Amino acid sequence: MDPVRRAVGGDDGAVISYLVFDGALPAIVILHGLAGSGREFESTARALSGRMVVLIDQRGHGFSTREPADTSRGAFIADAVRVIEAESLAPVDLVGQSMGAHTAMLVAAAHPDLVRRLVLLEANEGGGVPEGAEAIGEYFRSWEVPYADREAAQAALGDGELAQAWSADLEERPDGLYPRFDPEVMVATMAELAVPRWTEWESVAAPTLVIYADEGMFTEEQKIRFVSRGVRETRADLTGASHDAHLDAFEDWIGALTGFLRAR
């Protein structure tokens, strides 16, 4: 059965769009990373067949409001909570990658009653972001949009799995294809990630799987420090994988994810 797209309204008027794959409870709610969308996890959702899976386009991304007034971490938390409550899903297994993992961690800290289990792919406590935020903004501003077609976009963005995901997710307009995010919103969103959230991480009570890629964005020292300060965490490592391991190490990602979610 094809997924159903639904939406809820945020406190600031933003519209939060999400895909629902029907299945059994408890539901699995997945949050994508910066400049991504729920579409990146459609293959993951299909691999979790039998369970209800909800893929949220976080504010500023995908089919949700492109330029939200509020890009605070609190707004992202509230959006996820609103989707969970609108669908009457609690408690859920909450999964996030990169920025989405940071959001998921904060949701679990602020609303422990909503989260049954937590899976964080390529995550840390935040902090140290401002230096890289502008560089990432410059990269997104450098995209020579609109692209004439997806082949042109692929040629410009490259052949990597993340670039392919970006190309597949481009929005079609009368004059060509555009990304489903605004570079300035991405910069503002990253700036909000600059505050370390150790207190929140150390308060997460849900059993947590922290997954890292051997070619991801964190050093071994950062990984050890983050995991060691969790309460009920398990660590898994994926080899031959990047920061976007859900795309380029799919089988290993699914193996780690399903093994944790199915464990008693």
Side-chain angles (χ1 to χ4, degrees):
M1 183 181 296
D2 291 333
V4 176
R5 183 166 292 280
R6 298 174 183 157
V8 295
D11 291 336
D12 62 342
V15 174
I16 307 304
S17 179
Y18 56 97
L19 279 176
V20 178
F21 291 75
D22 195 21
L25 299 176
I28 302 167
V29 177
I30 304 180
L31 301 172
H32 61 80
L34 187 84
S37 79
R39 282 181 167 182
E40 287 181 23
F41 286 91
E42 287 193 21
S43 294
T44 295
R46 297 185 191 285
L48 297 168
S49 177
R51 292 280 297 276
M52 176 181 284
V53 180
V54 178
L55 308 180
I56 299 177
D57 286 350
Q58 296 185 86
R59 58 177 50 226
H61 298 77
F63 285 79
S64 294
T65 295
R66 190 71 45 86
E67 298 181 20
D70 189 352
T71 56
S72 68
R73 294 279 73 208
F76 281 80
I77 295 168
D79 294 340
V81 170
R82 184 167 278 106
V83 170
I84 292 169
E85 292 180 341
E87 295 292 330
S88 300
L89 301 178
V92 303
D93 290 339
L94 188 57
V95 179
Q97 184 258 343
S98 191
M99 178 197 74
H102 193 265
T103 305
M105 179 261 288
L106 295 178
V107 170
H111 300 275
D113 56 313
L114 300 185
V115 181
R116 173 178 174 265
R117 293 188 184 184
L118 181 65
V119 179
L120 308 177
L121 174 60
E122 281 287 291
N124 77 344
E125 75 289 346
V129 174
E131 297 79 4
E134 190 56 37
I136 289 176
E138 285 301 320
Y139 169 65
F140 290 139
R141 294 182 197 109
S142 74
W143 290 16
E144 296 182 357
V145 295
Y147 297 114
D149 51 37
R150 298 195 191 278
E151 289 72 20
Q154 192 75 65
L157 298 176
D159 296 326
E161 284 81 357
L162 180 59
Q164 291 177 30
W166 277 332
S167 297
D169 202 30
L170 292 170
E171 177 187 10
E172 186 172 353
R173 301 181 191 173
D175 60 338
L177 301 175
Y178 289 80
R180 293 187 184 276
F181 57 84
D182 178 87
E184 308 313 319
V185 174
M186 298 301 97
V187 172
T189 299
M190 285 193 70
E192 292 292 331
L193 291 164
V195 179
R197 299 290 191 138
W198 285 117
T199 299
E200 288 89 339
W201 169 231
E202 291 169 350
S203 73
V204 171
T208 303
L209 176 64
V210 182
I211 305 176
Y212 285 117
D214 62 345
E215 298 174 14
M217 68 178 292
F218 301 110
T219 66
E220 184 61 23
E221 179 183 6
Q222 288 175 307
K223 297 173 185 178
I224 291 172
R225 184 171 67 248
F226 182 70
V227 172
S228 69
R229 293 177 67 168
V231 176
R232 301 179 66 189
E233 83 297 325
T234 300
R235 174 176 168 178
D237 292 271
L238 306 182
T239 58
S242 77
H243 186 62
D244 300 289
H246 61 295
L247 298 175
D248 60 32
F250 182 75
E251 294 302 328
D252 289 342
W253 153 246
I254 290 299
L257 176 63
T258 57
F260 179 72
L261 295 182
R262 291 172 181 168
R264 291 187 178 274

